[in-house]
């Protein structure tokens, strides 16, 4: 397949269509961004952090004016700074962290959701991105920097340790700390960097080492790498941090860096789909992307004489599963910086073979050619929703591939630098 037929102009159009989600799916009064396009969807604080991070990209391309991006950014940061912090369950957050899901209109906690350490991490990453981008001397740009700094300083990472060496996944007023911690390689790479770099409540240096001790190194399809099954794990922290050429103790022992690890994980995904051990429809060297995404379930259907369990929104994983034949194009696209030689071909395949996947905000979240209803859709199930968690990485990782904009901004962040160094990173651009 000739990936050269996919031009830079094509990528920018995909970015622009995808970014429009963040233009329209939000409340202008408080800045809250919807988690997804389902009617009545709440906001997730990760969606807010991704929106904050996309604004510099939008301004650089002329999709938003700097003034409009500044206004949207201030609205968001003011809302989160001014929101109450406490233990009642009616507050916006506690100890500098925030509830995972908030009502878009009122900003109130919904679904009895938890105070989420990882989702707060992504929100704070967006705030720090804004602080680096809006570096001017106007009153408004200075306020953005002040608010972002205050929000980051307020997060009490030591509290989030809950007496242990690894960070808790969250807390709620009904039951206290959740029983699970951030252990095993995951998107918490960014969390541990921010927790380590805090000027007010940094976690002890031993905590990062305690986390990396829970890693699992594996060999799949003759490729050795730091294992995580869903592809998003190998991508999300890389939105904000350029891991090329910098290593912590763990990666020094393996003689690679996290960027190279993500490149290997991307190739493992392609190889898994090409082998297609479960004989799902559509899987090939050009059609892959197995990660957290929407799905056609919950349902069980007999396909070619075999019962297959289909899931709804689920973190799908290779090679051990769960895997129900659902492909998420965004997962392939978000690996563009790591392996453009195979990602560009995958994007072209999606465009050429699944035009029904493209609608108002670019490529839909996911599709499943195995889950077919011949009376309705002979090419299989297609998600009817867009999710902020899918849209953001498409915009931001495509930009990192093209210009390195997010990476270059965050290389200047004193907190990112401090966090990386306290976690033991050295080399490359860290000097």
């Amino acid at each position: 397949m000739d990936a050269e037929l996919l031009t830079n102009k094509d990528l920018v159009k995909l970015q622009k269509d995808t970014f429009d989600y963040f233009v329209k799916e939000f409340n202008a009064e408080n800045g809250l961004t919807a988690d997804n396009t389902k009617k009545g969807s709440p906001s997730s604080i990760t969606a807010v952090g991704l929106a904050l991070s996309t604004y510099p990209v939008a301004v650089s391309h002329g999709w938003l004016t700097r003034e409009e991006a500044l206004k949207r950014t201030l609205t968001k940061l003011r809302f989160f700074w001014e929101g109450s912090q406490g233990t009642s369950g009616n507050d916006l957050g506690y100890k500098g962290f925030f509830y995972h899901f908030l009502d878009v209109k009122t900003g109130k906690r919904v679904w009895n959701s938890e105070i989420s350490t990882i989702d707060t991490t992504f929100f704070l990453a967006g705030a720090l991105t804004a602080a680096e981008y809006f570096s001017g001397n106007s009153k408004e740009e200075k306020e953005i920097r002040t608010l972002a700094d205050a929000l980051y300083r307020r997060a009490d990472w030591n509290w989030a340790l809950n007496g242990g060496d690894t960070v808790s996944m969250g807390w709620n007023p009904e039951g206290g700390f959740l029983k699970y911690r951030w252990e095993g390689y995951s998107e918490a790479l960014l969390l541990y960097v921010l927790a380590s770099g805090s000027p007010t409540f940094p976690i002890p240096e031993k905590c990062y080492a305690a986390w990396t001790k829970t890693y699992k190194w594996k060999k799949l399809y003759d490729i050795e790498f730091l294992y995580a099954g869903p592809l998003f794990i190998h991508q999300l922290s890389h939105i904000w941090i350029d891991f090329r050429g910098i290593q912590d103790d763990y990666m020094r022992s393996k003689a690679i860096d996290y960027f190279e690890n993500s490149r290997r994980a991307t190739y493992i995904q392609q190889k898994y789909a090409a082998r297609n051990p479960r004989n799902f429809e559509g899987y090939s060297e050009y059609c892959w992307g197995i990660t957290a995404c929407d799905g056609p379930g919950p349902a069980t259907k007999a396909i070619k004489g075999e019962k297959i369990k289909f899931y709804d929104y689920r973190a799908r994983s290779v090679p051990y599963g769960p895997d129900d034949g659902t492909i998420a194009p965004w997962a392939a696209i978000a690996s563009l910086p790591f392996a453009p030689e195979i990602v560009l071909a995958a994007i072209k395949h999606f465009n050429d073979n699944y035009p029904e996947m493209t609608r108002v905000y670019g490529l839909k979240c996911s599709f499943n050619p195995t889950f077919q209803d011949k009376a309705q859709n002979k090419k299989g199930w297609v998600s009817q929703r867009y999710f902020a968690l899918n849209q953001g990485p498409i915009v931001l990782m495509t930009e990192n591939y093209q210009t390195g904009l997010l990476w270059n901004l965050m290389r200047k962040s004193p907190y990112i630098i401090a966090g990386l160094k306290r976690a033991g990173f050295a080399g490359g651009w860290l000097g």
Side-chain angles (χ1 to χ4, degrees):
M1 180 177 290
D2 187 2
E4 293 300 322
L5 294 177
L6 193 71
T7 67
N8 199 49
K9 185 177 179 180
D10 295 326
L11 289 178
V12 172
K13 183 183 185 306
L14 174 60
Q15 273 186 294
K16 169 61 170 62
D17 292 345
T18 305
F19 170 72
D20 282 345
Y21 178 97
F22 296 102
V23 174
K24 299 174 183 177
E25 302 294 334
F26 93 118
N27 182 349
E29 294 183 4
N30 57 25
L32 290 178
T33 302
D35 176 69
N36 65 77
T37 52
K38 183 179 180 180
K39 186 176 181 180
S41 169
S43 172
S44 68
I45 53 173
T46 287
V48 179
L50 289 168
L52 287 166
S53 301
T54 61
Y55 294 157
V57 177
V59 174
S60 72
H61 285 282
W63 307 331
L64 282 184
T65 65
R66 189 178 184 91
E67 291 72 24
E68 177 63 21
L70 192 154
K71 178 182 177 182
R72 286 169 172 257
T73 299
L74 270 178
T75 299
K76 287 174 166 58
L77 297 183
R78 286 169 177 165
F79 176 78
F80 279 88
W81 176 249
E82 294 168 3
S84 63
Q85 292 267 315
T87 61
S88 71
N90 293 318
D91 299 291
L92 191 63
Y94 182 52
K95 292 290 187 178
F97 297 89
F98 300 99
Y99 286 106
H100 190 166
F101 292 106
L102 305 171
D103 185 277
V104 172
K105 294 181 180 179
T106 67
K108 297 295 184 181
R109 173 196 187 199
V110 299
W111 299 339
N112 285 330
S113 60
E114 80 287 4
I115 290 285
S116 172
T117 53
I118 192 64
D119 292 278
T120 299
T121 293
F122 295 135
F123 166 75
L124 292 175
L128 294 176
T129 301
E132 291 304 323
Y133 182 72
F134 291 104
S135 58
N137 292 319
S138 71
K139 177 183 176 182
E140 292 79 10
E141 297 203 18
K142 288 180 178 178
E143 184 182 357
I144 284 175
R145 297 196 294 275
T146 298
L147 288 172
D149 192 71
L151 284 160
Y152 177 59
R153 286 173 175 267
R154 188 169 65 179
D156 189 343
W157 298 99
N158 275 296
W159 167 79
L161 287 171
N162 187 28
D165 288 339
T166 53
V167 176
S168 170
M169 287 190 171
W171 175 94
N172 64 53
E174 292 80 19
F177 280 99
L178 307 183
K179 66 179 181 179
Y180 299 108
R181 293 177 175 270
W182 286 105
E183 296 176 349
Y185 180 57
S186 68
E187 67 274 25
L189 177 57
L190 178 65
L191 178 153
Y192 278 97
V193 170
L194 291 188
S196 297
S198 171
T200 47
F201 303 104
I203 58 175
E205 292 183 18
K206 67 177 181 178
C207 295
Y208 186 83
W211 180 53
T212 60
K213 285 180 181 178
T214 66
Y215 283 2
K216 292 182 179 179
W217 185 261
K218 290 184 179 290
K219 185 176 184 179
L220 299 174
Y221 312 128
D222 295 323
I223 300 174
E224 294 188 4
F225 79 131
L226 173 56
Y227 172 76
L231 194 50
F232 80 91
I233 286 176
H234 299 280
Q235 299 165 335
L236 292 189
S237 296
H238 295 257
I239 290 173
W240 292 278
I241 301 178
D242 181 0
F243 286 101
R244 293 175 298 179
I246 64 174
Q247 297 170 307
D248 59 7
D249 287 342
Y250 184 89
M251 282 302 175
R252 274 190 288 274
S253 74
K254 302 299 183 182
I256 64 170
D257 54 38
Y258 285 98
F259 184 93
E260 168 62 20
N261 194 74
S262 292
R263 188 189 72 82
R264 295 182 183 186
T266 301
Y267 266 93
I268 284 169
Q269 283 255 334
Q270 185 205 38
K271 289 179 181 294
Y272 172 85
R275 285 166 172 75
N276 193 12
R278 299 175 189 182
N279 296 312
F280 290 125
E281 295 292 331
Y283 280 32
S284 74
E285 64 179 307
Y286 303 117
C287 190
W288 48 272
I290 299 164
T291 193
C293 65
D294 195 17
T300 300
K301 293 184 71 171
I303 308 291
K304 298 178 181 178
E306 180 182 353
K307 283 189 176 181
I308 297 176
K309 186 175 181 179
F310 295 92
Y311 305 97
D312 49 10
Y313 200 99
R314 186 77 177 265
R316 293 160 172 83
S317 179
V318 304
Y320 311 115
D323 178 18
D324 61 356
T326 302
I327 296 291
W330 76 270
I333 300 168
S335 279
L336 195 49
F338 310 127
E341 64 280 5
I342 62 173
V343 172
L344 291 172
I347 299 172
K348 186 176 186 301
H349 177 84
F350 297 139
N351 289 341
D352 290 349
N353 294 279
Y354 298 95
E356 65 274 20
M357 284 292 296
T358 302
R359 290 295 184 268
V360 60
Y361 297 138
L363 284 164
K364 288 282 186 69
C365 166
S366 49
F367 66 104
N368 190 317
T370 301
F371 193 93
Q372 295 184 6
D373 182 347
K374 294 182 179 179
Q376 308 248 339
N377 185 354
K378 294 181 180 180
K379 296 188 74 173
W381 173 89
V382 175
S383 174
Q384 296 306 301
R385 291 189 280 174
Y386 289 91
F387 291 78
L389 186 58
N390 312 153
Q391 302 297 99
I394 291 175
V395 175
L396 297 167
M397 290 298 266
T398 300
E399 192 64 28
N400 279 333
Y401 166 69
Q402 292 173 311
T403 71
L405 176 60
L406 268 291
W407 290 340
N408 293 333
L409 283 174
M410 300 311 280
R411 277 185 178 193
K412 297 183 291 184
S413 171
Y415 299 133
I416 293 291
I417 292 170
L420 287 169
K421 289 185 174 180
R422 289 194 78 242
F425 283 87
W429 61 269
L430 274 176

